[in-house]
Amino acid sequence: MTDSLFPDGKSPRELGYTFPAEWSRQSCVYLSWPVNPETWTGCFDSMESAYSDFAAAISQHELLRIAVSADHNERIAALLAEHGAQLEQIEFFDIATNDAWCRDHGPVFLKNPQTGKIAMADFQYNAWGGKFTWELDNAVPAQIARYLHCRRFTVPFTCEGGALETNGSGTLLTTRSVMLNPNRNAGMTESKAQQILCDSLGMRKILWLDSGLPGDDTDGHIDTLARFVNANTVLAAKVKKNHPGFEAVENNFKALQNMRNADGEKLEVIPLPMPDPVCPDRWRTDILPATYANYLLINGAVLFPTYRQDESAIEAMALLHQAFPSREIIPIDCYDILLEGGALHCLSQQQPA
């Protein structure tokens, strides 16, 4: 660790903090409610209906905290009630945002397993390399920290929560196309990024994939490609040969098969089928990064993104049921949500219990 990275003291790793696996018990999930009129043009109402189904499902299993300007609270609460939400399980934080992708602009929560204390890593955020406006979004972790009176480690390194996938035992999976992209961290080397991630997140080993799906504004977030389901098992995207992303996805799959976790265990890699390409008419992109890897684990359930392709969805849900047999698998129609480039995992951020 360099002296300048955490000038106020020791790193999260040195203080015993680590990035827990998503399947660990959670105290709540955060969402940043979509209110930007420049997004989901022409389909905002249908998107918000699907988003409300998603939010309601979270509230039926655990506490949901929504970041949004307070003047929206009454309308959102009424909408959530219509969609079956448990309103007593919902808290509003008066936080304005530019966009809805809380996974990426929200805090990355850490936990000290010895003391049980919670903290957060606050990475820098620039809307995936300056593609969109981000000033409000970049301030979200600091505002949540004030609400929670939570320790916040400011990390002078640009990345997003969707780029971080952990097995909860010291291993982090990510992509070079994000972490080493000059649109985030100019001049960053792999070894330096590795040091920063280990110090910031309490990791012992970083596993690298090269790149992601075509049409992905994020440049290849790991939560569209591969997800740990236990310490040494990964569900990894597999696409058909005619898929535009076939070569990148296949290379990732083969790379994972040759990897070992921080404890030296060889990864078991299970193919996760992907939906066929989603190519909307008259939209800002020709293809969207539709993926079943963008599910969200919550207490007692898996919230699963669907894209109106039943056959592949049923196959993927069956794999998730095998991976998490004690959890209910809840499908959420994400076709309209996907039009702005992401799905359930991208929209949310969990806080460990």
Side-chain angles (χ1 to χ4, degrees):
M1 183 194 74
T2 63
D3 291 339
S4 61
L5 189 61
F6 296 98
D8 296 331
K10 294 181 178 180
S11 70
R13 178 184 56 79
E14 291 172 305
L15 292 171
Y17 288 99
T18 188
F19 180 27
E22 193 169 304
W23 54 80
S24 303
R25 188 74 183 170
Q26 300 172 10
S27 64
C28 66
V29 169
Y30 292 82
L31 298 179
S32 295
W33 199 273
V35 295
N36 187 344
E38 297 179 4
T39 54
W40 287 285
T41 304
C43 63
F44 190 91
D45 289 348
S46 57
M47 177 284 302
E48 194 177 41
S49 178
Y51 188 99
S52 299
D53 287 338
F54 172 46
I58 296 170
S59 76
Q60 290 160 7
H61 289 81
E62 63 186 84
L63 177 65
L64 171 62
R65 287 176 169 151
I66 298 172
V68 70
S69 297
D71 55 328
H72 294 280
N73 290 4
E74 186 176 347
R75 185 189 71 84
I76 292 170
L79 184 62
L80 286 169
E82 291 175 8
H83 286 259
Q86 302 294 316
L87 295 184
E88 67 277 9
Q89 285 273 82
I90 297 174
E91 295 178 355
F92 288 94
F93 284 7
D94 185 11
I95 299 174
T97 64
N98 299 110
D99 217 332
W101 307 109
C102 193
R103 176 68 50 178
D104 293 345
H105 64 235
V108 177
F109 283 98
L110 311 173
K111 184 174 182 177
N112 185 319
Q114 300 303 315
T115 66
K117 289 185 177 180
I118 300 296
M120 63 173 69
D122 181 2
F123 292 96
Q124 302 309 297
Y125 176 75
N126 71 352
W128 319 291
K131 296 182 178 73
F132 306 96
T133 305
W134 71 87
E135 287 82 2
L136 293 174
D137 288 344
N138 192 40
V140 168
Q143 294 182 76
I144 291 177
R146 284 195 290 272
Y147 268 102
L148 302 179
H149 306 289
C150 177
R151 182 165 189 172
R152 177 173 65 99
F153 295 92
T154 302
V155 187
F157 179 77
T158 301
C159 80
E160 308 87 34
L164 309 170
E165 175 68 15
T166 182
N167 71 346
S169 300
T171 303
L172 187 82
L173 185 57
T174 190
T175 59
R176 296 182 176 92
S177 58
V178 171
M179 294 296 179
L180 308 184
N181 198 314
N183 67 11
R184 291 165 170 82
N185 301 291
M188 180 61 59
T189 64
E190 186 170 314
S191 61
K192 181 62 176 176
Q194 199 153 276
Q195 172 193 341
I196 292 170
L197 291 169
C198 285
D199 285 345
S200 303
L201 300 172
M203 296 290 105
R204 293 181 287 134
K205 186 172 186 177
I206 311 298
L207 302 178
W208 297 90
L209 299 181
D210 281 333
S211 59
L213 298 170
D216 186 356
D217 287 328
T218 73
D219 303 308
H221 272 181
I222 195 66
D223 66 357
T224 67
L225 302 169
R227 304 287 303 278
F228 282 110
V229 297
N230 59 41
N232 70 329
T233 305
V234 178
L235 289 177
K238 289 284 279 187
V239 297
K240 299 174 183 176
K241 288 187 176 180
N242 62 352
H243 192 290
F246 175 78
E247 183 176 356
V249 170
E250 198 67 11
N251 287 342
N252 287 339
F253 194 90
K254 291 176 181 177
L256 285 164
Q257 289 179 310
N258 292 315
M259 290 180 180
R260 294 179 181 272
N261 65 18
D263 295 312
E265 300 169 317
K266 188 174 177 62
L267 297 186
E268 179 184 358
V269 187
I270 299 173
L272 179 67
M274 292 289 106
D276 291 333
V278 174
C279 303
D281 294 331
R282 298 182 297 278
W283 198 249
R284 65 178 178 84
T285 58
D286 295 330
I287 187 172
L288 296 167
T291 169
Y292 295 132
N294 209 249
Y295 60 85
L296 175 68
L297 291 172
I298 60 174
N299 294 338
V302 182
L303 304 184
F304 177 82
T306 65
Y307 308 99
R308 303 173 190 174
Q309 299 181 32
D310 291 348
E311 184 177 348
S312 59
I314 290 169
E315 185 179 355
M317 283 191 289
L319 285 170
L320 281 167
H321 180 68
Q322 292 174 21
F324 302 104
S326 64
R327 298 177 191 245
E328 180 184 6
I329 312 296
I330 303 174
I332 307 286
D333 182 356
C334 288
Y335 186 90
D336 290 323
I337 292 173
L338 181 68
L339 289 171
E340 278 299 333
L344 306 181
H345 198 255
C346 299
L347 289 169
S348 54
Q349 183 61 265
Q350 73 279 350
Q351 178 181 327

